[in-house]
Amino acid sequence: MKKRIESKVRSGARITEKEAEFLFAQNDLIWLGRAANAKKERMTGNRIFFNLNRHLNPTNYCLNRCRFCAFSADFGEKHGYQLSLKQIDRIADSGRGIHEFHVVGGLHPEWNFDYYLEILRRLKKKNPQVLIQAYTAVEIDHFSKISGLSLEQVIAELKKAGLDGVPGGGAEIFNPTVRKKICPEKISGSRWLEIHAALHHAGIPTNATMLYGHLEDYADRVDHLRRLRLLQDQTHGFSAFIPLAFHPQNTRIKNVHNTTGVDDLKTIAVSRLYLDNFPHIKAFWIMLGEKLAQVALWFGADDLDGTVEEEKITHMAGAQTPEALARDELVRLIREAGRKPVERDTWYRVKKIW
Ligand code: V47
Ligand code: SF4
């Protein structure tokens, strides 16, 4: 099987689901890394992308209360918050010099669709040059429900308000049995895929994620990747895939440990090898830690995300990483890995080669 996979990497032929499962079960991490790196270098050479971005989570009040989520809150809970439009304006003031606002939050029980639109308008008004990557498919589905508008109408309104791209959150794991255990209230995997297909048809590039390291097994991960590869074959609208390492602290998923470094690297590597139609695989340093994210640059990843500035979702679940990295620090991490740092925006337009 190893020889067959090596030859497929050389010829560019597709990895099957059986082979992907074999790769996940593989203990020869160095072999796996070398294969994934060969694939990465065929696609993006020595380049590693990063963004100058600011994350912003407008509220953590959320109707869904997914069991793996330490971030969300009900009214009356101490850690609940919602940003006023004045606070959004202050964040909008900090947009000078960045390339992206990344906006993700909860399904607020009382906000109407226009409030979510107004957030985009305010960010865009003060920063017309900054791209906005906002609202997961889960939020977009919610907007359709609360506004009575069709999915296509919601997307059109979001575009009008300044939306340039959609992040990959909300995908979690598509298998309905596991999904029911970790996020019973959330939209189904099929609906998530349907929303991304609609965004691609409307010309909005999106990302995809997979939350791993909870109750799923390798077959569930491969099934998740299979469904993503299939949709990408049809639409070519995904820019990047980001495996998200589950952080269990303060969540309602019990008896699960943090992911290990080996599992993190394996997941990056298998994703690079199997998702041959995804242009980019992101090692999100916030979740992996800066050091492992740097190592991942030799295991198939070609992107580190960005400066971030502020992060609540993972930190409320126990992440020990900083909430921000300076541009120079990202450049140093990439250079010290022997790679070429490439500053990009949401659309992977090159801003500067370092
Ligand atoms: O969907 C929630 C995850 C996601 C936990 O597109 C958790 O570039 C780990 O969308 N442990 C939202 N993960 C974040 C997101 C994202 C992040 C980075 C890059 C991009 C991108 C998108 O955060 C959720 C969920 O999968 N999440 N709780 C947790 N305890
Ligand atoms: Fe809400 Fe998203 Fe947290 Fe689920 S993961 S509870 S949808 S904020």
Side-chain angles (χ1 to χ4, degrees):
M1 183 88 87
K2 272 174 144 177
K3 285 272 166 281
R4 191 162 74 218
I5 293 170
E6 281 171 14
S7 122
K8 282 190 169 186
V9 172
R10 274 196 302 274
S11 70
R14 278 211 147 158
I15 302 287
T16 65
E17 288 75 50
K18 274 240 143 47
E19 287 163 345
E21 276 194 51
F22 168 83
L23 291 172
F24 269 122
Q26 182 54 241
N27 286 322
D28 189 347
L29 191 64
I30 299 301
W31 173 82
L32 181 59
R34 187 166 290 147
N37 186 56
K39 187 84 186 163
K40 179 246 175 281
E41 290 188 359
R42 283 171 72 97
M43 297 177 80
T44 52
N46 202 30
R47 283 168 295 161
I48 300 294
F49 297 90
F50 71 97
N51 202 341
L52 304 183
N53 59 358
R54 190 193 197 290
H55 279 222
L56 117 86
N57 309 122
T59 181
N60 65 348
Y61 290 121
C62 188
L63 292 167
N64 274 357
R65 301 310 313 273
C66 302
R67 303 182 69 79
F68 60 77
C69 179
F71 162 72
S72 61
D74 288 329
F75 287 149
E77 283 190 276
K78 264 210 320 276
H79 66 291
Y81 73 90
Q82 60 189 58
L83 299 186
S84 65
L85 291 174
K86 255 211 177 76
Q87 287 170 305
I88 298 289
D89 280 338
R90 269 204 294 278
I91 292 171
D93 287 335
S94 69
R96 185 160 322 134
I98 66 171
H99 307 312
E100 173 186 274
F101 283 112
H102 173 110
V103 188
V104 172
L107 313 183
H108 193 287
E110 289 175 357
W111 283 0
N112 57 24
F113 182 32
D114 196 61
Y115 196 91
Y116 287 94
L117 290 172
E118 187 60 20
I119 293 173
L120 303 189
R121 287 186 206 112
R122 296 206 176 199
L123 293 174
K124 200 60 149 191
K125 189 158 182 221
K126 289 196 174 164
N127 308 277
Q129 76 293 350
V130 179
L131 296 181
I132 304 180
Q133 184 183 53
Y135 303 139
T136 68
V138 178
E139 290 162 288
I140 293 175
D141 175 79
H142 176 67
F143 300 156
S144 174
K145 286 195 184 112
I146 58 177
S147 65
L149 298 175
S150 70
L151 179 55
E152 287 68 26
Q153 288 169 322
V154 165
I155 293 171
E157 289 300 318
L158 288 167
K159 265 177 106 164
K160 225 188 305 163
L163 185 81
D164 299 298
V166 162
E172 321 313 356
I173 205 87
F174 293 142
N175 177 338
T177 311
V178 181
R179 204 171 176 86
K180 206 177 278 166
K181 290 186 192 148
I182 62 166
C183 50
E185 308 299 331
K186 194 165 243 165
I187 57 167
S188 68
S190 313
R191 176 68 172 157
W192 188 95
L193 289 160
E194 181 188 343
I195 291 170
H196 280 259
L199 289 159
H200 297 168
H201 287 128
I204 303 271
T206 74
N207 289 338
T209 58
M210 173 177 74
L211 185 69
Y212 68 95
H214 42 86
L215 306 180
E216 89 294 356
D217 59 21
Y218 289 154
D220 297 323
R221 294 188 196 181
V222 173
D223 169 69
H224 190 91
L225 298 178
R226 181 183 62 78
R227 300 228 236 161
L228 290 173
R229 192 169 80 174
L230 209 60
L231 179 58
Q232 178 74 331
D233 276 342
Q234 293 159 17
T235 64
H236 303 286
F238 288 115
S239 305
F241 176 70
I242 309 111
L244 300 176
F246 176 51
H247 285 57
Q249 211 177 303
N250 307 322
T251 75
R252 286 176 295 150
I253 310 275
K254 298 298 169 205
N255 306 318
V256 172
H257 295 286
N258 280 297
T259 60
T260 62
V262 167
D263 195 19
D264 293 335
L265 291 177
K266 263 190 193 180
T267 309
I268 294 268
V270 181
S271 306
R272 177 61 294 161
L273 287 165
Y274 182 85
L275 292 177
D276 53 6
N277 53 5
F278 273 66
H280 304 285
I281 303 289
K282 199 187 274 188
F284 188 36
W285 65 265
I286 286 268
M287 293 209 186
L288 295 179
E290 307 98 291
K291 292 185 180 185
L292 196 66
Q294 185 191 34
V295 176
L297 305 182
W298 285 93
F299 280 76
D302 67 283
D303 192 302
L304 279 181
D305 200 80
T307 42
V308 179
E309 309 291 344
E310 191 184 334
E311 204 281 338
K312 294 203 166 63
I313 299 174
T314 329
H315 283 85
M316 287 168 93
Q320 299 295 313
T321 46
E323 284 191 57
L325 272 185
R327 181 196 57 199
D328 292 351
E329 195 55 26
L330 286 165
V331 168
R332 191 174 75 86
L333 283 174
I334 297 168
R335 278 208 183 125
E336 292 230 343
R339 297 296 211 187
K340 189 92 202 139
V342 179
E343 189 181 313
R344 61 151 178 102
D345 69 7
T346 314
W347 294 340
Y348 284 84
R349 290 183 304 193
V350 173
K351 293 291 176 177
K352 179 170 175 170
I353 300 183
W354 285 80

